[in-house]
């Protein structure tokens, strides 16, 4: 039984434009590694298995015995009516799956990866999207806390960050790349620079957050740590077979976002957000 890896697929498609490829045919019975399946999914390539289905015997050879009844190749999910015991007429194939099959209806334990492609709800990219959604909620909660502290400028900065996180989610779902960006007026390079050399920009050394630094510092530090967790989920979602990663733009963007939260904590401590 053949095993097809991601490297096998890359060799197979190396002289082809993946945007023009819609179907990959694998030998019947072949096994694809998880990373190989993800490769096909990420490039929106349908997996099909070659090989003829089992054909029924001629009428003269058929026997009434149930054991000799020819097997049928199942291509779509058919929903039976439990009341009547009858099968409905075949419907148009609506949903694709990672394994090359089609489903007539969407099961509750599956969700959309993109378009009409369904995956299980514990797929790494679905978990990553959920983490981004939770990060948005954390930012909203932080805005409420900072508003109670009369730190309106910080509330506005958090609003810009919230919209930025929503753009990250959009880019992931639509497979759009994240180019250079400005966040609170800083480029990715400037975000990294200021977070790495706080003494130069804020007159403070790196510190371990403490409750006596105030509620705002603790709230922003919570956002920083949650962003780092989200970055790890991104790596798990886009990790390739040998440890590399696709969508490094998303991973890098989340890393710079966590740097920004360090910068905000320094700004709070030196009074830049005081009314």
């Amino acid at each position: 039984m053949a095993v097809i890896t991601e490297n096998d697929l890359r060799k197979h498609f190396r002289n082809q434009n993946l945007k023009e490829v819609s179907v990959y045919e694998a030998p019947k019975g072949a096994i694809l590694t998880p990373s190989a399946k993800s490769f096909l999914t990420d490039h929106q390539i349908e997996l099909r298995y070659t090989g003829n289905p089992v054909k029924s015997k001629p009428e003269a050879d058929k026997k009434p015995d149930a054991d000799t009844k020819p097997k049928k190749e199942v291509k779509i999910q058919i929903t039976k009516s439990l009341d009547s015991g009858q099968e409905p007429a075949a419907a148009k194939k609506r949903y694709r799956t990672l394994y090359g099959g089609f489903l007539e209806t969407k099961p509750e334990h599956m969700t959309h990866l993109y378009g009409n492609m369904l995956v299980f709800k514990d797929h790494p990219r679905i978990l990553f999207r959920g983490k981004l959604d939770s990060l948005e909620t954390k930012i909203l909660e932080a805005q409420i806390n900072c508003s109670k502290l009369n730190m309106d400028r910080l509330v506005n900065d958090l609003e810009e960050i919230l919209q930025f996180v929503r753009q990250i989610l959009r880019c992931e779902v639509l497979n759009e790349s994240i180019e250079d960006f400005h966040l609170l007026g800083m480029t990715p390079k400037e975000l990294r620079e200021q977070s790495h050399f706080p003494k130069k920009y804020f007159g403070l050394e790196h510190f371990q957050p403490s409750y006596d630094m105030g509620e705002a510092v603790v709230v922003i530090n919570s956002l920083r740590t949650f962003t780092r967790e989200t970055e790890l989920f991104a790596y798990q979602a886009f990790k390739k077979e040998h440890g590399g990663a696709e969508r490094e733009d998303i991973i890098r963007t989340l890393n710079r976002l966590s740097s920004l939260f360090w910068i905000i904590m320094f700004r709070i401590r030196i009074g830049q957000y005081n009314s």
Side-chain angles (χ1 to χ4, degrees):
M1 185 175 293
V3 176
I4 300 175
T5 66
E6 180 184 350
N7 283 338
D8 294 331
L9 294 179
R10 291 185 180 277
K11 290 178 182 178
H12 178 80
F13 292 116
R14 62 186 172 188
N15 295 322
Q16 301 181 54
N17 184 351
L18 292 177
K19 293 183 179 180
E20 298 177 354
V21 178
S22 60
V23 176
Y24 172 71
E25 293 187 346
K28 190 173 183 179
I31 297 175
L32 271 71
T33 63
S35 62
K37 293 175 183 176
S38 295
F39 176 86
L40 294 178
T41 299
D42 293 341
H43 293 91
Q44 302 184 28
I45 299 174
E46 177 186 342
L47 171 63
R48 290 182 184 172
Y49 289 98
T50 58
N52 297 323
V54 179
K55 296 182 179 180
S56 59
K57 296 181 180 180
E59 288 292 329
D61 296 336
K62 287 187 177 180
K63 297 180 181 180
D65 191 342
D67 294 337
T68 62
K69 187 176 181 179
K71 297 181 180 179
K72 295 181 180 179
E73 183 180 11
V74 179
K75 293 186 177 180
I76 62 173
Q77 174 178 302
I78 302 297
T79 304
K80 290 186 177 181
S81 171
L82 297 179
D83 295 330
S84 64
Q86 297 178 348
E87 294 183 355
K92 182 180 179 181
K93 298 175 182 177
R94 294 185 56 203
Y95 301 104
R96 300 166 56 202
T97 71
L98 283 178
Y99 309 104
F102 291 86
L103 298 175
E104 177 187 346
T105 58
K106 187 180 82 65
E108 289 298 325
H109 63 279
M110 302 186 79
T111 189
H112 294 270
L113 183 62
Y114 53 77
N116 69 338
M117 175 65 71
L118 295 182
V119 294
F120 297 121
K121 289 185 176 180
D122 63 352
H123 187 282
R125 286 178 64 176
I126 303 303
L127 295 178
F128 170 57
R129 292 175 188 176
K131 202 69 172 178
L132 281 176
D133 193 21
S134 296
L135 177 57
E136 291 181 27
T137 299
K138 293 290 186 181
I139 295 172
L140 289 168
E141 292 174 349
Q143 285 181 293
I144 292 174
N145 289 331
C146 293
S147 178
K148 292 178 180 178
L149 296 173
N150 297 317
M151 304 179 77
D152 294 338
R153 288 179 55 201
L154 181 50
V155 172
N156 292 335
D157 283 353
L158 289 172
E159 180 64 26
E160 181 177 337
I161 294 171
L162 175 63
Q163 299 306 321
F164 182 73
V165 171
R166 288 172 176 169
Q167 285 299 312
I168 296 175
L169 180 58
R170 168 191 166 86
C171 289
E172 190 279 321
V173 173
L174 299 181
N175 201 28
E176 298 175 348
S177 63
I178 301 177
E179 306 297 339
D180 287 340
F181 58 86
H182 284 76
L183 195 53
L184 302 192
M186 291 174 282
T187 65
K189 182 178 180 180
E190 290 169 336
L191 290 169
R192 185 179 180 86
E193 168 77 13
Q194 291 193 26
S195 65
H196 278 63
F197 302 100
K199 183 71 173 178
K200 175 181 177 181
Y201 293 94
F202 308 106
L204 297 175
E205 299 288 354
H206 284 103
F207 62 89
Q208 291 184 335
S210 172
Y211 77 94
D212 57 8
M213 294 177 183
E215 183 177 353
V217 169
V218 174
V219 166
I220 299 303
N221 187 58
S222 178
L223 289 179
R224 179 189 66 83
T225 58
F226 199 90
T227 301
R228 294 304 300 270
E229 291 179 17
T230 306
E231 180 185 346
L232 295 178
F233 270 72
Y235 175 66
Q236 290 294 329
F238 299 110
K239 182 170 64 174
K240 295 190 289 189
E241 189 169 12
H242 298 294
E246 298 179 344
R247 297 312 307 262
E248 288 193 352
D249 57 326
I250 290 179
I251 297 172
R252 180 175 58 253
T253 298
L254 289 167
N255 181 270
R256 298 303 182 270
L257 180 57
S258 67
S259 296
L260 175 58
F261 286 128
W262 265 120
I263 293 171
I264 291 176
M265 284 192 286
F266 283 114
R267 289 181 175 182
I268 293 172
R269 293 197 64 196
I270 64 176
Q272 287 191 10
Y273 286 110
N274 293 343
S275 299

